[in-house]
Amino acid sequence: MDILPYHRRINYYETDKMGITHHSNYVRFMEEARVYFLEQIGWGFDKLEAMGYLSPVLSVSCKYKQSTVFNEEILISVKVGSIKGVKFTLVYEMTKAKSGHIILTGETEHCFIGPKGMPVRVKNEIPDFYNVLITLVDDKQS
Amino acid sequence: MDILPYHRRINYYETDKMGITHHSNYVRFMEEARVYFLEQIGWGFDKLEAMGYLSPVLSVSCKYKQSTVFNEEILISVKVGSIKGVKFTLVYEMTKAKSGHIILTGETEHCFIGPKGMPVRVKNEIPDFYNVLITLVDDKQS
Amino acid sequence: MDILPYHRRINYYETDKMGITHHSNYVRFMEEARVYFLEQIGWGFDKLEAMGYLSPVLSVSCKYKQSTVFNEEILISVKVGSIKGVKFTLVYEMTKAKSGHIILTGETEHCFIGPKGMPVRVKNEIPDFYNVLITLVDDKQS
Amino acid sequence: MDILPYHRRINYYETDKMGITHHSNYVRFMEEARVYFLEQIGWGFDKLEAMGYLSPVLSVSCKYKQSTVFNEEILISVKVGSIKGVKFTLVYEMTKAKSGHIILTGETEHCFIGPKGMPVRVKNEIPDFYNVLITLVDDKQS
């Protein structure tokens, strides 16, 4: 499956008094990229939430490599890091659209809370989704 | 009833590349002040939401008089502008805590959506709340 | 000149506990649309800031007509309301991309602060920009 | 030195459609707590920026343990994790004010960019600040 990177620009309100994008916003950009990634693989948030699943973020980490400025175009690629038990991780790489320089590498860890309010094993509960995810596990990560 | 103004400081992430507080944040500060105001008069959001009422914002307006900077302390006073039918307005004045200079004047218009999903007349549906609000109508506004 | 409306989707982090887009975010969407509008007419923020001009927001107003939800696609059209002395206004209309229903109408008022830190008359100081803006004044607004 | 934890409430606009605080906001709360921490030890952002120092965030990580809801009161404690060369880390623990339950543990990594635009060794360049920081290194972390 060919997954496209997520593309967006830095908004004015996302800059701070240092003149660069405030570091907290990248966590939001990662969410935007995650939404786009899940849609591309056919398992958008809307679909999962309609099925009664919520996917809270268990952990997030970002390593900031370069700053970005207002109106700068960035690309965010998302890959599956690992799927273990009730948890899975996604890994992110943000690059400058023009130069290709790396802005950030990041990772989020998730679980799925099922209709009964408990974490579920994706493998057992949503096997169709699991089967897509597992083919996307990035060998460099796991 | 003696209503205290809401006090807060400007956070770093609320500044933008002009070095000042981004104008969109003041709409959020107005909400914070509104929450504090309603708590003081004994009708906090929590209580109203627990009773099944939601209070969507119908309109908002802000006039920006002076900018503020990171870590600056501001005060926000809230008054009831008017109560008419299913709508009521709140009026806001933000001042610099040190100098007393006016930062912003603003207004929000609200209604209450009842448990049945329809706007309700506060006067009829939540008369205890109405009776408090009506004593707080600011004569200068109405 | 044919100005395209600005297109965007609602992000997950822009929703609130009511399940809809938090009202403060629309002020940010208006800024995004303004940036896109100015770029289309050849006077992007970047260009104006490089020339030494800042354009603070003097006032903002929004009338909320309908709510929006996560992932919903919206369109924002921007028009010039008026240009008077050192001030000009922009008017906004947000619609749902699918149904065309109006979400919000809004207005922002701006001035331009020149390299000397004082408001300038766009007509005199940046006549090329003024000449573009004046042709875009929306007759319904002024 | 007795450092007080940072205290704040969850704002309505910080919740998302799951009804809980959006995970990205905790990165902002960590910044608020960091600002308060630095003020308490006599080295506020304002002072450092006035001396020509900027302190960009090099990395951030958060482990989410429990969610929080609108108006909930939280406490954030900040400790120095380590100081090595041009980098130092701060570690955070957020707890529910009422129950004391842990909401989040987190870490940020920073450097200081000096007036010449280059990272500086705090030990050599701002020894008074270094001497305070070093006494605060948390033995459990380093």
Side-chain angles (χ1 to χ4, degrees), chain C residues 125-137:
Chain C
E125 288 258 342
I126 335 175
D128 291 350
F129 181 37
Y130 177 82
N131 291 335
V132 177
L133 278 184
I134 202 76
T135 64
L136 294 167
V137 171

Side-chain angles (χ1 to χ4, degrees), chain A residues 38 43 48 53-56 58 86-88 110-114 118-122 126 129 133:
Chain A
L38 290 172
W43 290 89
L48 286 160
Y53 295 99
L54 292 176
S55 181
L58 301 180
V86 299
K87 296 181 184 177
F88 69 100
H110 304 264
C111 68
F112 276 99
I113 303 293
M118 297 294 291
V120 298
R121 283 179 181 266
V122 178
I126 335 175
F129 180 38
L133 279 183

Side-chain angles (χ1 to χ4, degrees), chain D residues 33-136:
Chain D
R34 186 161 66 245
V35 166
Y36 184 60
F37 170 79
L38 290 171
E39 275 179 6
Q40 285 186 80
I41 66 169
W43 289 89
F45 268 44
D46 300 25
K47 180 173 174 178
L48 286 161
E49 291 199 351
M51 289 170 71
Y53 294 99
L54 292 175
S55 180
V57 177
L58 302 179
S59 72
V60 63
S61 65
C62 303
K63 288 182 186 173
Y64 303 98
K65 306 293 188 182
Q66 285 199 26
S67 59
T68 53
V69 295
F70 167 58
N71 224 14
E72 189 162 349
E73 292 177 62
I74 65 174
L75 294 171
I76 311 176
S77 73
V78 181
K79 291 178 179 165
V80 181
S82 64
I83 316 173
K84 286 171 189 160
V86 299
K87 296 180 184 176
F88 69 99
T89 61
L90 297 175
V91 290
Y92 306 79
E93 190 178 79
M94 291 194 205
T95 53
K96 291 175 178 252
K98 280 194 188 165
S99 67
H101 288 154
I102 294 179
I103 299 162
L104 173 150
T105 58
E107 185 173 313
T108 53
E109 188 181 26
H110 304 264
C111 69
F112 277 99
I113 304 292
K116 292 172 188 165
M118 296 295 291
V120 298
R121 281 176 183 268
V122 177
K123 191 174 184 173
N124 302 337
E125 288 258 341
I126 335 176
D128 290 350
F129 180 37
Y130 177 83
N131 290 335
V132 177
L133 278 183
I134 202 74
T135 64
L136 295 166

Side-chain angles (χ1 to χ4, degrees), chain B:
Chain B
M1 198 182 304
D2 205 27
I3 310 288
L4 296 174
Y6 178 69
H7 176 271
R8 62 116 72 213
R9 282 181 166 208
I10 304 300
N11 294 309
Y12 201 95
Y13 60 79
E14 289 163 343
T15 61
D16 67 18
K17 72 193 287 281
M18 272 199 269
I20 57 176
T21 307
H22 190 270
H23 67 281
S24 64
N25 291 313
Y26 294 99
V27 176
R28 298 183 168 192
F29 303 164
M30 285 158 74
E31 182 180 81
E32 292 178 35
R34 185 161 66 245
V35 166
Y36 184 60
F37 170 79
L38 290 172
E39 274 178 7
Q40 286 185 80
I41 66 170
W43 289 90
F45 269 43
D46 300 24
K47 180 173 175 177
L48 286 161
E49 292 200 350
M51 290 170 70
Y53 295 99
L54 292 175
S55 180
V57 177
L58 303 179
S59 72
V60 62
S61 65
C62 302
K63 290 183 184 172
Y64 303 99
K65 306 293 188 182
Q66 285 198 26
S67 59
T68 54
V69 295
F70 166 58
N71 225 11
E72 189 162 350
E73 292 177 61
I74 64 174
L75 295 172
I76 311 176
S77 72
V78 181
K79 290 178 180 166
V80 181
S82 64
I83 315 173
K84 286 170 189 162
V86 299
K87 296 180 184 176
F88 68 99
T89 62
L90 297 175
V91 292
Y92 305 80
E93 190 178 80
M94 290 193 206
T95 53
K96 291 175 178 251
K98 280 194 186 163
S99 67
H101 288 154
I102 294 179
I103 298 162
L104 172 149
T105 58
E107 186 173 313
T108 53
E109 189 181 25
H110 304 263
C111 69
F112 276 98
I113 304 293
K116 293 173 189 166
M118 297 293 292
V120 298
R121 281 177 183 267
V122 177
K123 191 174 183 174
N124 303 337
E125 288 257 343
I126 333 175
D128 290 350
F129 180 37
Y130 178 83
N131 290 335
V132 176
L133 278 184
I134 202 74
T135 64
L136 294 167
V137 171
D138 186 40
D139 292 334
K140 283 180 291 181
Q141 306 291 339
S142 58

